[in-house]
């Protein structure tokens, strides 16, 4: 099948590579010429395990190509996937300017029937809006060309997006016509062989399903973080509580890991967008704003721990930081808890020495060169003569370090663990002053 993908970000590039892997003829279009030239040359501009290899395979077998020409992308394919960004506006709503721009381009250049697919995460009703934009564009041209706008939301996790796309647990499609349903079944046949994962519904229900799923996962994270804060206050260990909770099959173990808060391009944006949608529709949603507020407060836990331990004036102090990306296996620092931490340290007069296996370049692009920031080549360099170690991201490389070496390198043997990687009892045996999230020991009162 001939498919064009508009947008070469996380969603667009992964979907283009995966569709080409199974033999579809895929065109990936982006208005950023330099970006797609880099991708075609083997330089994917973000870290996603397995993606660069998949892109190169598609280019080699000539099932994937790149272009910066909207007309080319529209005319060369029958199925047009919109995979552009929908960033948050100041009021929390999703900014649809890039989606609308793609729709206008489709209307300007289509000459025969097209199936337009919203794969970007968009507010409920966006399929109708895209259809309206295309209809108005065709009317302005005096053209009468059939088309259908569908919703096919993505459910990819950064760090495992390729695996998620190759082996999806569900494929949700919002489509109205039986012809289009049959075409989607053919399109996804290679991903649907083990058992039927396809779920068909109306476009508005498909759009809301995506928001609801992300908001539910964010809610679980904020809930367990609230439990962690209670555990810390009453002297309980949230890791034991988490295991007791997760053993209930109605709850399960996924997404109940306490920590320094969620980040990334999806959860923060989607929770706020769904809350905005609720307000616009006259619904008095109370859980959604609480989830967001709880998460923003949780991001302050690590800098609060540092300042409770060393004081509010960090002049002359150096803080070693392990992990900058918002989660492992990505270099994405959007809404990352590490940003709240390092900015708070700087505001208090302290210095930061940081290491991340993949996000060093992204961090330097954010903050540039500054006297109070050292970009380190290894996790060991990041803690040399530092007053403490703070762990922001649970990269596997941080799970089983040499604690004796850590003690030797640190100016004082203090670890503030934002991901609960280590056993408090072991830390006590090693004479390491250790603070986790909800582990029954509060930095503030020293208990």
């Amino acid at each position: 099948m001939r498919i064009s993908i508009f947008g070469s970000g996380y969603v667009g590039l992964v979907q283009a590579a995966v569709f080409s892997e199974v033999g579809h003829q895929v065109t990936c279009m982006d208005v950023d010429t330099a970006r797609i030239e880099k991708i075609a040359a083997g330089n994917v501009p973000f870290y996603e395990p397995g993606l660069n290899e998949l892109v190169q395979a598609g280019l080699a077998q000539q099932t994937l190509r790149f272009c910066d020409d909207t007309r080319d992308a529209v005319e060369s394919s029958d199925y047009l996937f919109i995979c552009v960004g929908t960033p948050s506006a100041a009021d929390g709503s999703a900014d649809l300017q890039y989606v609308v721009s793609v729709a206008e381009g489709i209307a300007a250049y289509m000459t025969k029937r097209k199936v337009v697919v919203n794969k970007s995460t968009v507010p409920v009703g966006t399929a109708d809006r895209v259809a309206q934009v295309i209809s108005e564009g065709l009317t302005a041209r005096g053209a009468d060309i059939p088309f259908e706008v569908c919703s096919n939301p993505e459910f990819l996790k950064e760090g495992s997006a390729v695996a998620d796309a190759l082996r999806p647990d569900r494929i949700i499609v919002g489509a109205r016509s039986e012809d289009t349903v049959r075409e989607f079944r053919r399109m996804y046949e290679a991903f649907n062989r083990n058992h039927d994962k396809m779920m068909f519904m109306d476009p508005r229900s498909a759009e809301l399903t995506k928001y609801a799923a992300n908001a539910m996962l964010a809610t679980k994270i904020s809930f367990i973080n609230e439990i962690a804060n209670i555990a810390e206050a009453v002297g309980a260990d949230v890791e034991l509580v988490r295991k007791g909770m997760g053993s209930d099959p109605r709850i399960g173990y996924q997404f109940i890991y306490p920590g320094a808060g969620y980040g990334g391009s999806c959860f923060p944006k989607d929770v706020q967008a769904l809350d905005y949608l609720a307000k616009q529709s006259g619904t008095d949603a109370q859980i959604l704003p609480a989830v967001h507020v709880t998460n923003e407060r949780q991001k302050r836990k690590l800098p609060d721990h540092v300042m409770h331990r060393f004081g509010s004036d960090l002049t002359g102090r150096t803080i070693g930081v392990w992990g900058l990306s918002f989660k492992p296996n990505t270099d994405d620092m959007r809404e990352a808890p590490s940003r709240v931490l390092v900015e708070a340290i700087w505001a208090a007069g302290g210095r930061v020495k940081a290491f991340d296996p993949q996000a060093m370049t992204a961090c330097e692009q954010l903050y540039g060169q500054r006297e109070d920031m050292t970009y380190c080549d290894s996790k060991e360099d990041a803690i040399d003569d530092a007053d403490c170690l703070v762990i922001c991201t649970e990269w596997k490389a941080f799970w089983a370090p040499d604690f004796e070496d850590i003690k030797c390198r640190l100016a004082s043997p203090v670890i503030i663990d934002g991901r609960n990687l280590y056993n408090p009892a072991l830390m006590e045996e090693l004479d390491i002053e250790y603070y986790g999230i909800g582990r029954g020991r509060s930095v503030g009162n020293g208990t």
Side-chain angles (χ1 to χ4, degrees):
M1 302 178 81
R2 296 186 300 168
I3 299 169
S4 283
I5 307 283
F6 291 83
S8 62
Y10 277 100
V11 175
L13 190 56
V14 169
Q15 197 62 62
V18 166
F19 273 151
S20 73
E21 170 76 1
V22 300
H24 294 310
Q25 294 294 319
V26 181
T27 299
C28 186
M29 182 272 171
D30 199 297
V31 295
D32 188 338
T33 303
R35 179 184 178 91
I36 60 174
E37 286 177 349
K38 285 180 62 178
I39 296 171
N43 299 307
V44 172
F46 51 87
Y47 177 70
E48 186 63 42
L51 180 57
N52 196 43
E53 294 82 356
L54 211 60
V55 169
Q56 294 309 305
L59 291 169
Q61 64 190 20
Q62 298 184 339
T63 54
L64 175 62
R65 70 183 184 93
F66 294 89
C67 77
D68 58 0
D69 183 355
T70 301
R71 180 193 289 271
D72 180 5
V74 172
E75 291 182 346
S76 63
S77 298
D78 304 308
Y79 307 94
L80 312 178
F81 279 71
I82 301 177
C83 302
V84 295
T86 54
S88 290
D91 59 3
S93 63
D95 184 348
L96 296 179
Q97 62 172 309
Y98 305 114
V99 173
V100 170
S101 178
V102 173
E104 290 171 344
I106 292 171
Y109 297 118
M110 62 184 287
T111 56
K112 61 178 182 178
R113 177 184 179 268
K114 304 289 181 182
V115 175
V116 180
V117 185
N118 278 333
K119 205 160 189 68
S120 299
T121 301
V122 293
V124 177
T126 300
D128 293 335
R129 182 174 177 185
V130 168
Q132 181 181 359
V133 170
I134 294 174
S135 292
E136 290 172 353
L138 291 175
T139 299
R141 288 173 51 198
D144 183 14
I145 305 169
F147 69 93
E148 182 172 351
V149 179
C150 307
S151 174
N152 176 214
E154 53 85 15
F155 295 95
L156 308 179
K157 301 183 292 293
E158 287 189 42
S160 60
V162 171
D164 292 342
L166 287 170
R167 293 176 291 278
D169 47 22
R170 77 278 210 197
I171 303 166
I172 290 178
V173 178
R176 294 186 174 90
S177 74
E178 288 300 319
D179 286 344
T180 303
V181 167
R182 284 193 293 270
E183 291 170 83
F184 267 101
R185 285 202 174 276
R186 180 182 162 209
M187 184 185 300
Y188 280 105
E189 186 175 9
F191 311 96
N192 199 41
R193 292 173 62 84
N194 181 268
H195 63 278
D196 191 3
K197 306 171 186 176
M198 303 201 72
M199 302 179 188
F200 292 95
M201 56 188 73
D202 61 279
R204 286 181 175 248
S205 295
E207 291 164 343
L208 184 55
T209 297
K210 168 62 178 180
Y211 272 133
N214 275 1
M216 183 70 231
L217 296 174
T219 300
K220 293 184 74 172
I221 295 171
S222 282
F223 179 81
I224 196 63
N225 281 333
E226 290 230 315
I227 296 299
N229 294 337
I230 295 170
E232 195 168 281
V234 302
D237 187 340
V238 74
E239 288 298 315
L240 300 178
V241 175
R242 174 185 66 80
K243 293 173 183 176
M245 290 171 56
S247 64
D248 186 332
R250 296 171 300 175
I251 299 172
Y253 294 102
Q254 291 187 316
F255 283 84
I256 57 169
Y257 289 91
Y262 59 75
S265 63
C266 295
F267 289 2
K269 172 177 69 72
D270 294 351
V271 168
Q272 292 181 80
L274 186 55
D275 183 37
Y276 178 85
L277 176 66
K279 289 183 173 66
Q280 291 298 106
S281 64
T283 303
D284 183 22
Q286 298 183 26
I287 293 176
L288 294 170
V291 168
H292 175 68
V293 169
T294 298
N295 189 63
E296 292 302 295
R297 185 175 64 234
Q298 195 69 14
K299 289 181 181 180
R300 288 288 318 175
K301 290 290 289 187
L302 295 182
D304 286 351
H305 276 352
V306 171
M307 291 175 200
H308 283 149
R309 175 59 178 78
F310 295 104
S312 58
D313 183 359
L314 297 179
T315 302
R317 299 284 189 181
T318 298
I319 310 301
V321 176
W322 283 1
L324 296 166
S325 58
F326 84 94
K327 63 182 287 188
N329 296 321
T330 181
D331 60 356
D332 194 346
M333 287 186 63
R334 285 175 288 184
E335 303 286 341
S338 65
R339 297 176 64 170
V340 177
L341 172 67
V342 299
E343 290 167 15
I345 293 169
W346 294 332
R351 296 182 68 253
V352 174
K353 296 176 70 177
F355 171 75
D356 185 284
Q358 292 294 334
M360 301 306 296
T361 299
C363 188
E364 192 166 358
Q365 288 173 345
L366 276 172
Y367 296 119
Q369 291 293 327
R370 38 188 304 158
E371 292 183 359
D372 51 8
M373 178 65 162
T374 302
Y375 301 99
C376 297
D377 294 328
S378 70
K379 64 181 188 291
E380 290 79 16
D381 289 348
I383 58 175
D384 278 339
D385 298 320
D387 290 282
C388 75
L389 164 63
V390 182
I391 299 170
C392 287
T393 314
E394 64 275 29
W395 285 94
K396 289 289 180 67
F398 305 152
W399 285 27
D402 183 336
F403 292 110
E404 291 297 337
D405 183 61
I406 290 175
K407 288 173 63 177
C408 291
R409 291 176 182 274
L410 287 172
S412 51
V414 178
I415 297 178
I416 298 173
D417 184 356
R419 298 300 173 183
N420 286 354
L421 297 184
Y422 308 139
N423 185 331
L426 176 61
M427 297 298 99
E428 187 172 2
E429 288 178 18
L430 295 172
D431 291 324
I432 293 175
E433 194 175 340
Y434 177 76
Y435 305 98
I437 302 292
R439 305 306 301 269
R441 182 177 187 181
S442 169
V443 175
N445 58 30
T447 59

